[in-house]
Amino acid sequence: MGIDVAHYHGWQGELESPWWSCLALVRVAILQVLRRRVYWFVLALGMLNFLIFWSIIYATTQLPIPPEARGELLDRFAFSTQPDIAKDSGYVKFMEGQSLIVMILLAFSGSLLVGADFRTRALPFYLSRRIDRAHYIVGKLLAVSSLIALLTSLPALLLFVEYGMFTSSFDYWIDNWEIAVSILSYGLVLCVVLSIWIVTLSAYLQTIAPIAITWSCLFVLLSGMANAIRRTTDNRYWELLDPWRDIRYVGRLIFGGFEREMDRELAIWAAWIVGGICVACLALLVRRVRAVDVVE
Amino acid sequence: MPLLDIHHVSRNFGRVQALRDVTIVLEPGAIGLVGNNGAGKSTLLKVLLGLLKPDAGNGTILDCDIRHNSRALRGRVGYMPEAAAVVSMLKGVEFVTLSGDLYGMPHGDARRRAHEVLNYVGLGELRYRRLEEYSAGNLQRLKLAAALVHDPQLLLLDEPTNGLDPAGRMAMLRLIEDLIAETGKSVILCTHLLSDVEQLCEQLVVLHRGTVVQSGPMAVLRAQTANRYEIGWDGDSAAMLAALKARGHVVIAQPEENRAVVTTRNGWEVRDFFLLARAAGATITHLRPEEEDLEQLFFRVTSASNSETVTQSN
């Protein structure tokens, strides 16, 4: 029997924990991003990089090429399927390469996923449901994190799986399980740090142009300044002015491999800086996410 | 059990006192919350929803404490915000499903229910359109559907007819009217359009500068002016007016037209006018109770509040 659409029907059911609503925010965010063509372009760029690495693995493992040529190919792309002396594998390099695309994606998607909620005054809509601002913030962070993971740790894990599959045994996965853990850990750092930064920035700046400009300044201008000052002063601590390098240092701290003791020291400082900025951003975000506009 | 029972609620935003000592007790039904812009209507709604904690005072809605039980309360209340509040790139049915998800409904139920309520509000045909393609009237209907999705006991509608053309406004009011009649849900209609309240509501709360200047059933509030009459007569005007004044009534006379507006003393009945006229040698030709519409009521209570404020400051 069909539903009688002309009349109102009640609903009887149990309401679930508001934490499940965070998943709804993630699902909707991914839907929003996938419905914009410009994001498909950025995602395609990410996919292109992935396909290059995929092809390298395929070529070096499946095609009958001499070992010297194989080594040359791997060197050219700075890729190694084993953790090297610095416990740094090609997968991490791949993730670092992907990060540029992540930066572009986030610069554009911050406005869509977060800024728009403030522009259209949609916060009362969200917060008048059964979620509180903690759920809203976690939901948005998870949404952005899922985009980051989609471009970094997920394809890196696929490459790891691919290489293992071509060895015709489980040995590669068993012997190098730390790589998988490293990929996940570094991916987690990228997700947590970048999502907190972009969500906070978008909550305050809201529109795409200021977000993209500020985001670029953070990762390009500061990076340039850090390099210039470091060269002038010959003091490596100035490297810490570059937030992107700070994140990479934290990643390497997780992988546990440093060629020099100085790098380890810098990585610890970088962890403090990144953590401090994240805490400050979260405090600002909590302050910003409110259901009320004060009108005098 | 009253629907809403709040006492001495105050809320400040810095130096701005948005609500001052608000006390309201209202029974279930359709309630109009009216006031000028900046009177504190939206702030009161947000306090009622638990989105804002009051600085002072307490109370309950649907037996849920507004201070400590706001999440349970929001599970039983549907809120339609004033602002556009749309999530871009979504289709109508996805937006209402999201609303259900955020209320905590299981996703399958939320999706099924979204289709039902969209049909109910008359957006069945448009449910797969993007929100950006909705007209203002349809957007208001969509927000109503999003507020209804979890089948709440109480609906808080913040300016539901704002920005609509006359036809859209009438359609929206008819929809809310049908909803009240069919489901028996309680509705708090927050608006500055008094005619909307007049059409839909049985109870009224008038907010002015953050304070409640009048609240209660509409009929009772209007009855406060039930002792005013407009009368006309044939005969000696001076004698008629003298007789009216002699009985202690307040008379605003138009002697050359044999007419007057009379505010009677308590206990005076309509037939007493005829007895009085016969004694004064006149015949009543016109007698009409002077009814106060909502607009007059609103201006009376808000201007009384203004003069009280002036007196207090003096």
Short mmCIF file of all heavy atoms in Angstrom, two decimals, chain B residues 33-37 39 41 191-194 204-209 213-214 221-222 292-306:
data_model
loop_
_atom_site.label_atom_id
_atom_site.label_comp_id
_atom_site.label_asym_id
_atom_site.label_seq_id
_atom_site.Cartn_x
_atom_site.Cartn_y
_atom_site.Cartn_z
N LEU B 33 4.65 35.02 18.96
CA LEU B 33 5.66 35.78 19.70
C LEU B 33 5.98 37.00 18.85
O LEU B 33 6.60 36.87 17.79
CB LEU B 33 6.90 34.89 19.90
CG LEU B 33 8.12 35.49 20.57
CD1 LEU B 33 7.78 35.97 21.97
CD2 LEU B 33 9.23 34.46 20.66
N VAL B 34 5.49 38.15 19.28
CA VAL B 34 5.65 39.34 18.44
C VAL B 34 6.48 40.41 19.15
O VAL B 34 6.57 40.44 20.38
CB VAL B 34 4.28 39.93 18.02
CG1 VAL B 34 3.49 38.94 17.19
CG2 VAL B 34 3.47 40.39 19.22
N GLY B 35 7.01 41.27 18.35
CA GLY B 35 7.82 42.36 18.89
C GLY B 35 8.51 43.06 17.74
O GLY B 35 8.61 42.50 16.64
N ASN B 36 8.97 44.26 18.01
CA ASN B 36 9.70 44.99 16.96
C ASN B 36 11.04 44.32 16.70
O ASN B 36 11.46 43.45 17.47
CB ASN B 36 9.94 46.44 17.42
CG ASN B 36 8.64 47.18 17.53
OD1 ASN B 36 7.75 47.04 16.69
ND2 ASN B 36 8.50 47.98 18.59
N ASN B 37 11.72 44.76 15.65
CA ASN B 37 13.07 44.26 15.42
C ASN B 37 13.95 44.58 16.62
O ASN B 37 13.91 45.69 17.13
CB ASN B 37 13.68 44.90 14.16
CG ASN B 37 12.98 44.43 12.90
OD1 ASN B 37 12.37 43.36 12.90
ND2 ASN B 37 13.04 45.23 11.86
N ALA B 39 13.64 43.25 19.53
CA ALA B 39 12.89 43.15 20.80
C ALA B 39 13.38 41.97 21.63
O ALA B 39 13.10 41.92 22.83
CB ALA B 39 11.41 43.01 20.51
N LYS B 41 13.09 38.59 20.30
CA LYS B 41 12.31 37.39 19.93
C LYS B 41 13.23 36.22 19.60
O LYS B 41 13.06 35.12 20.13
CB LYS B 41 11.44 37.68 18.68
CG LYS B 41 10.48 38.84 18.83
CD LYS B 41 9.58 38.95 17.62
CE LYS B 41 10.30 39.28 16.33
NZ LYS B 41 10.82 40.64 16.23
N THR B 191 7.37 36.44 14.89
CA THR B 191 7.26 37.30 13.71
C THR B 191 7.03 38.75 14.12
O THR B 191 6.70 39.04 15.27
CB THR B 191 6.09 36.83 12.82
OG1 THR B 191 6.03 37.63 11.66
CG2 THR B 191 4.76 36.89 13.53
N HIS B 192 7.26 39.65 13.16
CA HIS B 192 6.82 41.01 13.42
C HIS B 192 5.62 41.35 12.54
O HIS B 192 5.16 42.48 12.52
CB HIS B 192 7.98 41.99 13.22
CG HIS B 192 8.55 41.97 11.84
ND1 HIS B 192 9.60 41.18 11.49
CD2 HIS B 192 8.19 42.62 10.73
CE1 HIS B 192 9.88 41.36 10.22
NE2 HIS B 192 9.03 42.23 9.73
N LEU B 193 5.11 40.33 11.81
CA LEU B 193 3.91 40.53 11.00
C LEU B 193 2.69 40.14 11.84
O LEU B 193 2.40 38.96 12.02
CB LEU B 193 3.99 39.69 9.72
CG LEU B 193 5.16 40.04 8.80
CD1 LEU B 193 5.28 39.06 7.67
CD2 LEU B 193 5.00 41.46 8.27
N LEU B 194 2.00 41.14 12.35
CA LEU B 194 0.93 40.88 13.31
C LEU B 194 -0.24 40.14 12.66
O LEU B 194 -0.93 39.36 13.31
CB LEU B 194 0.45 42.20 13.92
CG LEU B 194 1.55 42.97 14.66
CD1 LEU B 194 1.03 44.31 15.11
CD2 LEU B 194 2.03 42.17 15.85
N LEU B 204 -0.72 34.80 22.79
CA LEU B 204 0.16 35.87 22.32
C LEU B 204 1.18 36.24 23.39
O LEU B 204 0.86 36.28 24.58
CB LEU B 204 -0.70 37.10 22.00
CG LEU B 204 0.03 38.33 21.48
CD1 LEU B 204 0.53 38.10 20.07
CD2 LEU B 204 -0.89 39.55 21.51
N VAL B 205 2.41 36.47 22.92
CA VAL B 205 3.43 37.05 23.81
C VAL B 205 3.97 38.27 23.09
O VAL B 205 4.40 38.16 21.95
CB VAL B 205 4.58 36.04 24.07
CG1 VAL B 205 5.66 36.67 24.93
CG2 VAL B 205 4.06 34.78 24.71
N VAL B 206 3.90 39.41 23.75
CA VAL B 206 4.45 40.63 23.15
C VAL B 206 5.74 40.98 23.87
O VAL B 206 5.73 41.18 25.09
CB VAL B 206 3.46 41.81 23.25
CG1 VAL B 206 4.04 43.03 22.55
CG2 VAL B 206 2.12 41.44 22.65
N LEU B 207 6.82 41.00 23.10
CA LEU B 207 8.12 41.36 23.67
C LEU B 207 8.46 42.79 23.25
O LEU B 207 8.23 43.17 22.09
CB LEU B 207 9.21 40.45 23.12
CG LEU B 207 9.55 39.18 23.87
CD1 LEU B 207 10.65 38.45 23.11
CD2 LEU B 207 10.01 39.45 25.28
N HIS B 208 8.97 43.55 24.18
CA HIS B 208 9.38 44.91 23.86
C HIS B 208 10.64 45.23 24.64
O HIS B 208 10.64 45.16 25.87
CB HIS B 208 8.24 45.87 24.23
CG HIS B 208 8.50 47.28 23.78
ND1 HIS B 208 8.73 47.61 22.47
CD2 HIS B 208 8.57 48.43 24.49
CE1 HIS B 208 8.92 48.92 22.38
NE2 HIS B 208 8.84 49.43 23.59
N ARG B 209 11.69 45.54 23.91
CA ARG B 209 12.99 45.83 24.52
C ARG B 209 13.41 44.76 25.53
O ARG B 209 13.85 45.08 26.64
CB ARG B 209 12.97 47.20 25.19
CG ARG B 209 12.80 48.31 24.18
CD ARG B 209 12.78 49.63 24.87
NE ARG B 209 12.61 50.70 23.92
CZ ARG B 209 12.34 51.94 24.25
NH1 ARG B 209 12.22 52.28 25.51
NH2 ARG B 209 12.21 52.85 23.32
N VAL B 213 5.74 42.40 27.65
CA VAL B 213 4.80 43.45 28.09
C VAL B 213 3.37 42.92 28.09
O VAL B 213 2.49 43.53 28.69
CB VAL B 213 4.89 44.72 27.20
CG1 VAL B 213 6.19 45.44 27.45
CG2 VAL B 213 4.75 44.40 25.73
N GLN B 214 3.15 41.79 27.45
CA GLN B 214 1.81 41.21 27.48
C GLN B 214 1.92 39.74 27.10
O GLN B 214 2.66 39.40 26.17
CB GLN B 214 0.92 41.94 26.46
CG GLN B 214 -0.55 41.78 26.66
CD GLN B 214 -1.05 42.50 27.91
OE1 GLN B 214 -1.11 41.89 28.95
NE2 GLN B 214 -1.40 43.77 27.79
N LEU B 221 -6.71 38.97 26.15
CA LEU B 221 -6.02 40.25 25.96
C LEU B 221 -6.93 41.24 25.25
O LEU B 221 -6.95 42.43 25.58
CB LEU B 221 -4.74 40.04 25.13
CG LEU B 221 -3.69 39.13 25.76
CD1 LEU B 221 -2.49 39.00 24.84
CD2 LEU B 221 -3.24 39.70 27.09
N ARG B 222 -7.69 40.72 24.30
CA ARG B 222 -8.60 41.63 23.60
C ARG B 222 -9.75 42.05 24.49
O ARG B 222 -10.27 43.15 24.34
CB ARG B 222 -9.14 40.94 22.36
CG ARG B 222 -8.15 40.95 21.24
CD ARG B 222 -8.74 40.25 20.08
NE ARG B 222 -8.00 40.53 18.88
CZ ARG B 222 -8.20 39.90 17.74
NH1 ARG B 222 -9.12 38.97 17.66
NH2 ARG B 222 -7.50 40.19 16.69
N GLU B 292 -10.65 45.86 19.37
CA GLU B 292 -9.25 46.24 19.17
C GLU B 292 -8.58 45.14 18.35
O GLU B 292 -8.65 43.96 18.73
CB GLU B 292 -8.58 46.34 20.54
CG GLU B 292 -7.22 46.94 20.51
CD GLU B 292 -6.64 47.03 21.92
OE1 GLU B 292 -6.84 46.07 22.69
OE2 GLU B 292 -6.03 48.05 22.23
N ASP B 293 -8.03 45.50 17.20
CA ASP B 293 -7.33 44.44 16.47
C ASP B 293 -5.92 44.29 17.05
O ASP B 293 -5.51 45.06 17.94
CB ASP B 293 -7.32 44.71 14.96
CG ASP B 293 -6.55 45.96 14.58
OD1 ASP B 293 -5.77 46.43 15.41
OD2 ASP B 293 -6.76 46.47 13.47
N LEU B 294 -5.21 43.29 16.55
CA LEU B 294 -3.92 42.96 17.14
C LEU B 294 -2.94 44.13 17.04
O LEU B 294 -2.13 44.37 17.94
CB LEU B 294 -3.36 41.71 16.46
CG LEU B 294 -2.13 41.11 17.09
CD1 LEU B 294 -2.35 40.80 18.55
CD2 LEU B 294 -1.71 39.87 16.34
N GLU B 295 -3.06 44.84 15.94
CA GLU B 295 -2.15 45.98 15.74
C GLU B 295 -2.37 47.04 16.82
O GLU B 295 -1.41 47.55 17.41
CB GLU B 295 -2.39 46.56 14.36
CG GLU B 295 -1.23 47.35 13.85
CD GLU B 295 -1.32 47.58 12.34
OE1 GLU B 295 -1.92 46.77 11.64
OE2 GLU B 295 -0.80 48.59 11.92
N GLN B 296 -3.65 47.33 17.08
CA GLN B 296 -3.96 48.33 18.11
C GLN B 296 -3.50 47.83 19.49
O GLN B 296 -2.96 48.58 20.29
CB GLN B 296 -5.47 48.61 18.13
CG GLN B 296 -5.92 49.39 16.91
CD GLN B 296 -7.42 49.37 16.77
OE1 GLN B 296 -8.07 48.37 17.02
NE2 GLN B 296 -7.99 50.50 16.36
N LEU B 297 -3.76 46.53 19.71
CA LEU B 297 -3.33 45.94 20.99
C LEU B 297 -1.82 46.06 21.15
O LEU B 297 -1.31 46.47 22.20
CB LEU B 297 -3.76 44.47 21.02
CG LEU B 297 -3.21 43.62 22.16
CD1 LEU B 297 -3.83 44.04 23.48
CD2 LEU B 297 -3.48 42.15 21.92
N PHE B 298 -1.09 45.74 20.07
CA PHE B 298 0.36 45.78 20.11
C PHE B 298 0.86 47.19 20.42
O PHE B 298 1.69 47.40 21.30
CB PHE B 298 0.92 45.29 18.77
CG PHE B 298 2.41 45.34 18.69
CD1 PHE B 298 3.18 44.39 19.31
CD2 PHE B 298 3.06 46.36 17.99
CE1 PHE B 298 4.56 44.44 19.25
CE2 PHE B 298 4.43 46.40 17.93
CZ PHE B 298 5.18 45.44 18.56
N PHE B 299 0.29 48.17 19.71
CA PHE B 299 0.75 49.55 19.93
C PHE B 299 0.35 50.05 21.31
O PHE B 299 1.09 50.79 21.95
CB PHE B 299 0.22 50.47 18.83
CG PHE B 299 1.01 50.30 17.56
CD1 PHE B 299 0.41 49.81 16.42
CD2 PHE B 299 2.36 50.59 17.53
CE1 PHE B 299 1.15 49.63 15.25
CE2 PHE B 299 3.10 50.42 16.37
CZ PHE B 299 2.49 49.93 15.23
N ARG B 300 -0.81 49.59 21.79
CA ARG B 300 -1.23 50.02 23.13
C ARG B 300 -0.24 49.51 24.19
O ARG B 300 0.25 50.28 25.01
CB ARG B 300 -2.64 49.50 23.44
CG ARG B 300 -3.14 49.84 24.83
CD ARG B 300 -4.62 49.58 24.97
NE ARG B 300 -5.00 48.20 24.72
CZ ARG B 300 -4.89 47.20 25.61
NH1 ARG B 300 -4.42 47.46 26.81
NH2 ARG B 300 -5.26 45.98 25.32
N VAL B 301 0.09 48.21 24.11
CA VAL B 301 0.94 47.66 25.17
C VAL B 301 2.38 48.12 25.04
O VAL B 301 3.05 48.36 26.04
CB VAL B 301 0.86 46.12 25.24
CG1 VAL B 301 -0.53 45.67 25.62
CG2 VAL B 301 1.30 45.46 23.95
N THR B 302 2.84 48.30 23.79
CA THR B 302 4.24 48.73 23.66
C THR B 302 4.38 50.21 24.01
O THR B 302 5.36 50.63 24.62
CB THR B 302 4.80 48.47 22.25
OG1 THR B 302 3.91 49.02 21.29
CG2 THR B 302 5.01 47.00 21.99
N SER B 303 3.36 51.01 23.66
CA SER B 303 3.48 52.44 24.02
C SER B 303 3.33 52.63 25.52
O SER B 303 3.96 53.49 26.12
CB SER B 303 2.48 53.29 23.24
OG SER B 303 1.20 52.77 23.41
N ALA B 304 2.49 51.77 26.15
CA ALA B 304 2.39 51.84 27.62
C ALA B 304 3.73 51.50 28.24
O ALA B 304 4.16 52.13 29.21
CB ALA B 304 1.32 50.86 28.09
N SER B 305 4.40 50.52 27.67
CA SER B 305 5.72 50.13 28.18
C SER B 305 6.72 51.27 27.99
O SER B 305 7.53 51.55 28.88
CB SER B 305 6.20 48.88 27.45
OG SER B 305 7.56 48.69 27.65
N ASN B 306 6.63 51.95 26.84
CA ASN B 306 7.52 53.09 26.58
C ASN B 306 7.32 54.17 27.63
O ASN B 306 8.27 54.71 28.20
CB ASN B 306 7.23 53.69 25.21
CG ASN B 306 7.89 52.88 24.12
OD1 ASN B 306 8.79 52.09 24.40
ND2 ASN B 306 7.42 53.05 22.90
#
